[in-house]
Amino acid sequence: MAKSEVVMVAGIPVEAIRATVFYKQRWMLLLVDTSAACAKNPSVFDGTYLSWVTPRLLSPLVLHPTKFVDKQIKMGVEGRPLDEITATSRGYQLLVNSTAVKISIPFGAVGGYRKSHVIDNKYNQMYAIDLFLEHQWADDLWEVTQHRSFKPARSPYLPETPYVVNNTIPSEKGFTVTLGNFKPDVELKNLTINGVPLTLPEAQNRGVKISEVQHPNGTKDFVLKVPFNNPLVSAEYIGALIRRYTLNINYTLNIVPQNEPYFHPAAIVCDVKDVNLPDVKSFCTNRSVVFEVTPGNMDSSWELCIGSRPLPYTIAEPKITIELPLFSIGYIYEDISLRGLTVRVELNMRNVKTLQVEKQFVQRCPIPTRELLVCFPNGVVTVVAVTMEPIPVVEPSKTTLLDKTCKPKEFDSTRALFTFTVNTCGTRSKIVGNYLIYENEVVYTRALFPPNAPVITRDSEYRLTIRCRYPLNDTVKLLAERKAVPAPYSKKSLGSLEFYPYSSEQRGPKARDVLNLKARLARDVTFSQFYREFPVSKSGLEPLFLEVVLLHHQNLADHLILRDCWATETPELDATPQWDLVTDGCLVSGDSYKTRFHPVSASALTKSPHHLKRLEVQAQSVANHALWQQMYFHCLAVVCASEKAGVCNETCIAGDKRSARSVELADSVKGYISAGPVQIVPEGGIAGVKAAGETPLAPYIPVLGVAVGVLLLAVVVFAVKATRC
């Protein structure tokens, strides 16, 4: 039995086999020596060409290499030789040197074939071709020897990223998207458009046109057409009369016959200036302001507001009319005089998603004034009194309020106009039910004769009572932000606290209305007993123990962080001087005091230790009298969401990384809490008596009450939330 062997020829492994064939006839025995050899090296792909190399002279087939002479070398595919013109047109290369013959085929050339495959949800292609080489030569033994080689050549699987071409033309009012290119063994199975899964028949039924485009090289594209007004298309107003159409597509493709599915996403955006905003016409009547709204072409994106107050109307065909009676909520009084009352009404068209005012329509109306009383929210009262009804007629210039020094701001022959605040001009106040009522009078002082013993007067008696009624209890939300001096920190660093109105329109989707906090001063380090009455007297060397608790939490996994704590001599949060105790979560110690956090472990009393923080302040020297005074303690606390647990657990981090941590906590819910006062006296001393008028801070959840025009403030804890408009 013949056996093969592998030999190296010109650095190429060649498998050779030799055999002797015996032919026996009746009177004759014929012995024939045969041999065969083939190159065993694989094909090589360099990214462009698929190549295969074989030795020019196969030594197992030629006994005397010096007698070797080439006759002809031809290449081909699939067992058939090709003429030189055909091979060249296909890009084939046949290179012959003194030792080797090399065939190079461009990737994807005619004569081969491609095969698709999915690897890690990526489309891959492999190129294969069956090479054929025919070599004829002569040597000292044979006049012609013909050797044929059949070599299957294969490239590795190469990732092919399908291309997505946006062929959308805005004037055609629809998307045109091309996905390609694919080999014939790839088919489109399903689509998901803006989150809606669709089979191809379902997509066709919903107005999506899908077609295949074949190319001469055998590849194909899938073309998708979707009108802008198709319900599957997302449309968003981005300003300047521009509407942004968005088409998020997820293609489901399949490779046959092996049924290998894979997915390819595509996001197409087209901005078109095609928005017609609603048209508004307005006018004044004797008793109202009227707006007539004609719809545009994107009305589901807007809501109508008078000022910042949404109206319960939707813009619908063909027209809506909004009429506001005189003195309704939403009127803005620009000027009040005897010449008349100038009012302004603002109709705002607001984006329902961003709450941004996209367009504003303003109508101003002059209104004649006869008798008029306006009670403004800021406590200013304006009244026009008509004095011509009594007989004889009262002279308006001589009328006053209860305080005789409060005279008319304007007057004519029949009317007098007064403007005053509710805490001046003799105004009286009383509480009736749930309202705070302010009352004054327009009076006329009669001239009596004789002056020393008056018995006769020719003047009429005139008295007009004015009443303004304000709700006693109301709620106004404020934002508070403490701005401290950046590092390096000083024990007497200055800071500022800014308050400004908190609008519900500014709240983010996760904002909380109130951050409920409680601050307590413990009697000792066990934090088991707490002071209930204030002020508290402590000696100069006796430590102070402050505990801050998060109440009514919404998530057990949330963390409470004391971001900033400081001490002041008065109850105001922004009072000066200030002594920093904690800054950006890091303890701060001064020349005469030290601070430290006490760990909190879970127990029967503290089931959620993440919702509680404990801080100790210890005086270091009685010689320094800086702290021998009445002190209040304030903290800015931050609720850190559970998904930021890594940041929350880092109580204090290095200064160079601190800014990054502050950014991560910037959108967290914040709140302010205060406790005190504490009378700090020398060792053995007696605390001084509280100054008259000072009120201890109740360290519990605050109540923020406001009458319209009057702000009644108790202990303040504010919720602060960075929001997006």
Side-chain angles (χ1 to χ4, degrees), residues 259-445:
N259 288 327
E260 293 182 350
Y262 74 101
F263 309 94
H264 186 78
I268 310 298
V269 175
C270 185
D271 294 343
V272 183
K273 192 171 184 178
D274 64 351
V275 175
N276 295 323
L277 297 178
D279 182 52
V280 176
K281 296 181 179 179
S282 58
F283 55 89
C284 307
T285 69
N286 292 333
R287 305 295 300 174
S288 64
V289 174
V290 179
F291 293 93
E292 293 181 346
V293 183
T294 302
N297 63 354
M298 202 177 174
D299 300 321
S300 61
S301 299
W302 325 120
E303 65 177 357
L304 295 177
C305 305
I306 295 296
S308 61
R309 297 174 177 86
L311 296 174
Y313 304 118
T314 57
I315 305 176
E317 296 288 351
K319 181 184 293 187
I320 62 172
T321 300
I322 302 170
E323 183 173 4
L324 274 76
L326 191 60
F327 305 120
S328 298
I329 293 177
Y331 273 78
I332 300 172
Y333 302 94
E334 294 186 328
D335 181 50
I336 302 178
S337 66
L338 293 180
R339 294 185 301 274
L341 172 66
T342 302
V343 298
R344 183 178 86 249
V345 179
E346 298 174 351
L347 179 66
N348 293 321
M349 188 182 68
R350 193 166 64 179
N351 191 308
V352 295
K353 291 183 178 180
T354 65
L355 300 184
Q356 291 281 1
V357 175
E358 302 293 350
K359 194 169 183 180
Q360 185 180 75
F361 307 92
V362 178
Q363 178 63 44
R364 287 180 171 84
C365 297
I367 299 175
T369 54
R370 183 171 172 79
E371 289 183 326
L372 178 69
L373 173 62
V374 180
C375 304
F376 291 96
N378 61 355
V380 175
V381 180
T382 297
V383 59
V384 176
V386 179
T387 62
M388 61 182 299
E389 294 183 358
I391 298 177
V393 174
V394 172
E395 188 174 348
S397 62
K398 295 183 179 180
T399 58
T400 66
L401 298 177
L402 289 177
D403 184 345
K404 304 301 182 184
T405 63
C406 295
K407 298 180 179 180
K409 182 180 178 181
E410 295 182 32
F411 60 87
D412 58 16
S413 60
T414 60
R415 297 173 300 167
L417 183 147
F418 294 87
T419 298
F420 61 97
T421 58
V422 294
N423 58 349
T424 61
C425 296
T427 306
R428 301 182 293 262
S429 64
K430 60 182 177 180
I431 296 176
V432 178
N434 197 39
Y435 290 92
L436 181 60
I437 297 177
Y438 294 95
E439 185 177 284
N440 208 318
E441 294 180 0
V442 178
V443 296
Y444 176 71
T445 303

Side-chain angles (χ1 to χ4, degrees), residues 188 191 199-201 203-204 208-212 222-225:
L188 179 62
L191 292 168
T199 64
L200 297 189
Q204 297 277 5
V208 180
K209 295 182 179 180
I210 306 169
S211 59
E212 284 189 12
F222 300 105
V223 179
L224 203 71
K225 292 190 175 183

Side-chain angles (χ1 to χ4, degrees), residues 481-485 494-498 573-574 576 578 672:
E481 185 67 28
R482 179 178 184 249
K483 297 181 179 179
V485 176
L494 301 179
S496 64
L497 190 70
E498 297 182 359
L573 295 174
D574 57 346
T576 56
Q578 298 177 4
Y672 289 86

